[in-house]
Amino acid sequence: MLTSPPLPTVLVLDADPPPRLGRLTGRARIVRTDAAGLADRLPTADVLLVWDFTSHAVREAWPGEGPRPRWVHTASAGVDHLLCPELAASDTVVTNARGIFDQPIAEYVAALVLAVAKDLPRTLEHQRERVWRHREGRRVAGTRACVVGSGPIGRAIVRTLKALGVTTALVGRVPRTGIHGPADLDRLIARADWVIAAAPLTEQTYGMFDAHRFGVMQPSAFFVNVGRGGLVDEDALSRALTHRWIAGAALDVFAAEPLPADSPLWELPDLIVSPHMSGDTVGWRDELGEQFVELYERWAVGRPLLNVVDKQRGYVPGH
């Protein structure tokens, strides 16, 4: 009697709420695990879905014994939390959630630019204090922005800021048409009213916004990080804000997350702190689940996967 081949095993590094994978019923064997159980279950998995994209468990568990999944998908744009030398050197394909967060993050950046230019944080503060204090806001149209990171998120930020009349410059890993290279970065941020970090975290970008870069910026400049926390030397940013080297900053990502309650960043002058939420809009988890299912359907029939990460570079190439 003929028997059906076993269903591929999809191992989910879970987080709450879990992904909705009902469309895979009868097409995959779904196994869920937490960080503690990941190492033991990796050898049995064909596919690993890193739903808990804040966890470093993959990087810690991957070097163990036994076979490893042929495909790893992370429900995030960044992949620095899971890449380790053993995974990077393996034949395992890594994909990410490219395309889900682009426009939401761009809108978040635009909201910050408008809120700062129109002094909305202080307006709300005065309202709570019942203080009537007239002020003058800044005109956004005609200001300059330097966006660092030429991937889909950076390009979406540029499009959105251009719609507000902001003159934009985009900086990427290598110069090409419409994109500046790293050699132009200091010159561009020295002229920018808004400096926006949206780059992936790699060996080349780690700590790129340091005392030198904050010193190059104008005293009227405002800095935004919606990339990865490791892009910024937080001590240098603290000094830049305390000594008024720059006018202010907004951080949505941090070296340590959640940001500890005793972190001095909470009380820095003119710093807006948000809890890694710039790309999270109503329904975003459902979009991430649907994206994985669509990728699984391609993988199951042998079609090329989309959003394939260059494991040496640490991001999806081709942009």
Side-chain angles (χ1 to χ4, degrees):
M1 185 175 71
L2 295 176
T3 58
S4 300
L7 296 175
T9 297
V10 174
L11 179 62
V12 181
L13 179 57
D14 235 339
D16 189 35
R20 297 181 180 179
L21 302 177
R23 282 170 52 191
L24 297 185
T25 301
R27 304 160 66 186
R29 175 175 171 261
I30 308 298
V31 177
R32 303 183 186 277
T33 186
D34 58 12
L38 181 63
D40 289 339
R41 293 187 181 274
L42 274 177
T44 67
D46 299 292
V47 179
L48 173 63
L49 168 57
V50 185
W51 189 250
D52 184 359
F53 52 81
T54 65
S55 172
H56 291 86
V58 176
R59 196 162 60 191
E60 295 163 0
W62 196 271
E65 298 295 326
R68 290 295 181 259
R70 293 172 284 161
W71 167 35
V72 173
H73 177 77
T74 178
S76 62
V79 297
D80 52 280
H81 60 291
L82 59 87
L83 284 182
C84 61
E86 292 82 3
L87 174 53
S90 72
D91 293 332
T92 296
V93 176
V94 175
T95 57
N96 73 352
R98 181 179 184 227
I100 300 295
F101 302 108
D102 308 354
Q103 191 56 35
I105 291 178
E107 292 172 4
Y108 196 88
V109 170
L112 286 171
V113 167
L114 289 168
V116 170
K118 305 309 177 185
D119 203 21
L120 293 185
R122 238 174 295 273
T123 296
L124 295 173
E125 181 181 319
H126 291 334
Q127 179 182 348
R128 287 191 296 269
E129 298 170 350
R130 299 175 182 249
V131 172
W132 181 277
R133 184 167 298 157
H134 181 269
R135 293 157 351 268
E136 294 176 346
R138 295 175 62 190
R139 187 190 295 265
V140 170
T143 59
R144 296 175 180 270
C146 177
V147 179
V148 183
S150 60
I153 292 172
R155 296 200 303 271
I157 292 170
V158 166
R159 288 194 303 270
T160 305
L161 292 182
K162 281 185 175 180
L164 297 175
V166 178
T167 300
T168 60
L170 184 60
V171 178
R173 188 179 65 89
V174 293
R176 49 206 188 275
T177 303
I179 300 175
H180 297 268
D184 293 332
L185 180 57
D186 285 359
R187 175 178 62 83
L188 292 170
I189 65 176
R191 303 173 59 195
D193 300 289
W194 316 99
V195 178
I196 297 135
L201 184 61
T202 66
E203 290 183 5
Q204 291 71 36
T205 63
Y206 184 85
M208 67 184 301
F209 289 98
D210 54 12
H212 166 74
R213 291 270 156 70
F214 292 122
V216 168
M217 295 178 197
Q218 301 183 82
S220 58
F222 191 86
F223 174 73
V224 177
N225 187 12
V226 289
R228 308 298 283 179
L231 298 175
V232 176
D233 179 336
E234 292 177 352
D235 289 338
L237 176 60
S238 297
R239 291 193 297 273
L241 290 171
T242 301
H243 297 296
R244 306 292 182 181
W245 297 347
I246 61 175
L251 301 181
D252 186 56
V253 287
F254 301 86
E257 296 184 6
L259 185 64
D262 61 353
S263 170
L265 293 176
W266 288 106
E267 298 180 352
L268 278 178
D270 298 304
L271 175 64
I272 297 173
V273 171
S274 57
H276 205 147
M277 58 175 282
S278 61
D280 301 347
T281 52
V282 175
W284 66 286
R285 290 184 178 86
D286 289 340
E287 291 183 48
L288 288 171
E290 290 167 5
Q291 181 186 55
F292 173 73
V293 170
E294 290 169 4
L295 287 172
Y296 180 88
E297 290 171 345
R298 297 178 68 94
W299 178 84
V301 297
R303 295 178 62 195
L305 285 166
L306 307 176
N307 295 3
V308 175
V309 172
D310 183 321
K311 293 182 290 183
Q312 304 305 315
R313 296 181 183 178
Y315 54 86
V316 178
H319 47 66

